[in-house]
Amino acid sequence: MKKKILAFLLILFPIFSLGVVKADTVKSKYVIASDSSFAPFVFQNSSNEYTGIDMDLIKAIAKDQGLEIEITNPGFDAAISAVQAGQADGIIAGMSVTDARKATFDFSDSYYTANTILGVKESSTIASYEDLKDKTVGVKNGTASQTFLTENQSKYGYKIKAFADGASMYDSLNTGAIDAVMDDEPVLKYSISQGQKLKTPIAGTPIGETAFAVKKGSNPELIQMFNKGLANLKANGEFQKILDKYLASGSTTTSTSTVDETTIWGLLQNNYKQLLSGLGITLALALISFAIAIVIGIIFGMFSVSPYKSLRVISEIFVDVIRGIPLMILAAFIFWGIPNFIESVTGQQSPINDFVAGTIALSLNSAAYIAEIVRGGIQAVPVGQMEASRSLGISYGKTMRKIILPQATKLMLPNFVNQFVIALKDTTIVSAIGLVELFQTGKIIIARNYQSFKMYAILAIFYLVIITLLTRLAKRLEKRIR
């Protein structure tokens, strides 16, 4: 009799346990990273707000679980690295569950079954995978679609070209640089709904489940909360409403803006606040990093002409090392590499802010070149002036301050202006770590409306005007100094 009662209670336990809808939190707030342009899972609408299946879902789960979250949208690659480096606690970005990723991440229950599908231009004659022989297929880097293409490459004989973002991939297809694209089915069909003249000649292929993820062994309570919240949303019908909002036939995935974004004026009118915000970050990044670079560069430049060999060697090593590392790799090393190294040594996560990491990378990169400018400027002053001053008993330091540097500064100033212009342009490279400056802002807008030609033209004009004004200002300053 007791065994029967126990068995009955065990049957009822799952039913009663549904009443326990909330998991225990460990942190007061969790940082969730996501993509910036992966519609309809995540994208910016015409009101410049991030929306999509993933955004609505994580917000609904947070509300259901009484969870405070902060969402960042650095892009897929940057979001993955942010979770690994401790800058974020979890990632929701239309991320497919694969065996390779299971070695690095812990996944939640699946919330979407993904299909990958081939897209070609409407005029294309490609009708099967066999037709792809010797042709180039574009795919977004790090996705399950890329895995599918790689596994079947030898079978069908196509070439693969990986892209960092979807907008660049679709632009390449439209310009004829590639012959086809492979993407998640809802993503590709969304692009068609936004005016892309594409077709899908082959039925979609299942590529796995889509889930929320955290760094392996970290934040298990976050996985528990996501699973409980997802179960609750499925039970009350809210989850299906989210899917229908973006995937149902005839659904509207963008806000009801009356602005026509097919024109340059419409793009500016609807996105000027976003562009000005990106411009502000670009200018702040360039100005702060260049000011720091001037100080560091002058110090190492002075070392390079020092009478002490040890200082000259230190300067030479600094310049060679920094100039020998591409800026993008330097920024990635600072933003992701250093926190990972610190965690491996101390066991504590020490994330670095993306703006700070970008500033450090740009400062070091510019400082190495400024050091060479300073060295060249000083050595351009006739050596006889130093010898004459020293023969009169004037100290080395005073000779440099009073005689050499005033002349060298006039020679160095034009090169300083050029280096600042280069630093301003280099801010676009730092967007690789997820910093949303002017260039990244433009890419996010393009991912929503696919108006790449017009948006890149606007960005080019922005940079042209800024750099021209700064160059004119610097030349006036140069004339006054001379």
Side-chain angles (χ1 to χ4, degrees), residues 53 111-112 238-248:
I53 296 171
Y111 63 88
Y112 188 79
E238 184 66 22
F239 176 73
Q240 190 59 46
K241 289 180 181 179
I242 293 173
L243 292 183
D244 291 343
K245 178 181 177 182
Y246 297 97
L247 299 179

Side-chain angles (χ1 to χ4, degrees), residues 120-189:
V120 297
K121 296 175 73 171
E122 287 183 344
S123 58
S124 175
T125 58
I126 295 173
S128 66
Y129 287 121
E130 286 76 11
D131 294 336
L132 292 174
K133 184 175 176 59
D134 298 326
K135 291 182 169 55
T136 302
V137 183
V139 68
K140 192 174 178 182
N141 190 41
T143 61
S145 296
Q146 185 183 35
T147 303
F148 175 85
L149 284 178
T150 303
E151 291 174 348
N152 291 278
Q153 186 174 15
S154 59
K155 180 179 179 181
Y156 296 111
Y158 49 72
K159 291 173 284 187
I160 300 173
K161 185 171 184 180
F163 292 85
D165 60 87
S168 300
M169 181 174 71
Y170 287 106
D171 281 342
S172 296
L173 177 62
N174 289 328
T175 58
I178 57 178
D179 302 290
V181 298
M182 179 155 275
D183 208 345
D184 284 7
E185 188 167 357
V187 177
L188 198 149
K189 289 187 174 179

Side-chain angles (χ1 to χ4, degrees), residues 27 83-89 215 218 339 343 346-351:
K27 298 181 179 180
V83 174
Q84 291 175 317
Q87 278 102 350
D89 299 302
K215 184 178 180 180
S218 301
E343 183 179 5
T346 65
Q348 300 293 323
Q349 292 184 339
S350 303

Side-chain angles (χ1 to χ4, degrees), residues 30 65 96 134 146 229 231 275 311 335 351 387-388 392 397 465 472 476:
Y30 290 88
Q65 292 291 296
S96 299
D134 298 326
Q146 185 183 35
L275 290 168
L311 294 180
F335 187 58
E387 294 172 351
L392 294 174
V465 170
R472 299 293 183 191
R476 290 188 61 182

Side-chain angles (χ1 to χ4, degrees), residues 193-474:
S193 73
Q194 295 302 299
Q196 291 287 299
K197 297 188 180 302
L198 307 176
K199 62 181 180 179
T200 55
I202 307 171
T205 302
I207 52 174
E209 303 298 322
T210 301
F212 173 81
V214 299
K215 184 178 180 180
K216 197 167 188 66
S218 301
N219 303 311
E221 76 285 354
L222 197 50
I223 292 291
Q224 184 186 18
M225 283 183 279
F226 186 93
N227 289 341
K228 285 185 176 293
L230 179 62
N232 292 340
L233 294 182
K234 286 182 176 180
N236 61 28
E238 184 66 22
F239 176 73
Q240 190 59 46
K241 289 180 181 179
I242 293 173
L243 292 183
D244 291 343
K245 178 181 177 182
Y246 297 97
L247 299 179
S249 177
S251 63
T252 302
T253 55
T254 56
S255 66
T256 57
S257 172
T258 58
V259 177
D260 180 12
E261 289 195 338
T262 62
T263 65
I264 289 180
W265 173 244
L267 282 171
L268 285 171
Q269 186 179 0
N270 205 45
N271 300 288
Y272 76 93
K273 291 182 180 180
Q274 192 177 1
L275 290 168
L276 289 177
S277 175
L279 175 60
I281 294 175
T282 291
L283 290 176
L285 188 62
L287 290 170
I288 294 173
S289 63
F290 193 73
I292 297 171
I294 286 286
V295 176
I296 299 174
I298 289 176
I299 291 173
F300 281 99
M302 296 297 293
F303 282 1
S304 66
V305 296
S306 170
Y308 301 103
K309 183 178 179 179
S310 59
L311 294 180
R312 295 198 302 272
V313 171
I314 291 172
S315 176
E316 185 177 351
I317 292 173
F318 171 78
V319 171
D320 288 347
V321 169
I322 298 300
R323 291 204 307 179
I325 301 175
L327 178 57
M328 186 181 294
I329 294 178
L330 181 62
F333 175 77
I334 293 170
F335 187 58
W336 294 311
I338 291 178
N340 271 324
F341 175 74
I342 293 175
E343 183 179 5
S344 66
V345 173
T346 65
Q348 300 293 323
Q349 292 184 339
S350 303
I352 300 176
N353 178 272
D354 54 4
F355 185 86
V356 173
T359 300
I360 295 172
L362 281 171
S363 298
L364 292 175
N365 185 71
S366 295
Y369 290 94
I370 290 174
E372 287 295 278
I373 293 172
V374 172
R375 180 187 63 79
I378 292 173
Q379 291 180 343
V381 178
V383 68
Q385 296 193 32
M386 172 64 78
E387 294 172 351
S389 178
R390 296 290 285 148
S391 66
L392 294 174
I394 302 175
S395 67
Y396 175 84
K398 191 170 184 179
T399 301
M400 289 295 294
R401 291 196 309 272
K402 299 293 186 179
I403 300 173
I404 306 301
L405 287 179
Q407 297 178 74
T409 299
K410 294 179 181 180
L411 300 172
M412 291 185 286
L413 192 58
N415 292 322
F416 281 160
V417 174
N418 290 336
Q419 187 57 45
F420 177 71
V421 171
I422 292 171
L424 184 61
K425 293 178 180 179
D426 282 348
T427 58
T428 60
I429 298 176
V430 178
S431 65
I433 63 174
L435 184 62
V436 185
E437 38 65 75
L438 182 58
F439 177 61
Q440 183 73 357
T441 298
K443 289 174 66 177
I444 292 171
I445 295 171
I446 290 169
R448 182 186 75 241
N449 54 39
Y450 294 92
Q451 298 296 321
S452 56
F453 174 78
K454 298 181 181 68
M455 180 50 62
Y456 283 133
I458 291 172
L459 293 180
I461 293 171
F462 264 79
Y463 281 107
L464 178 62
V465 170
I466 296 164
I467 290 172
T468 300
L469 290 175
L470 290 173
T471 302
R472 299 293 183 191
L473 179 63

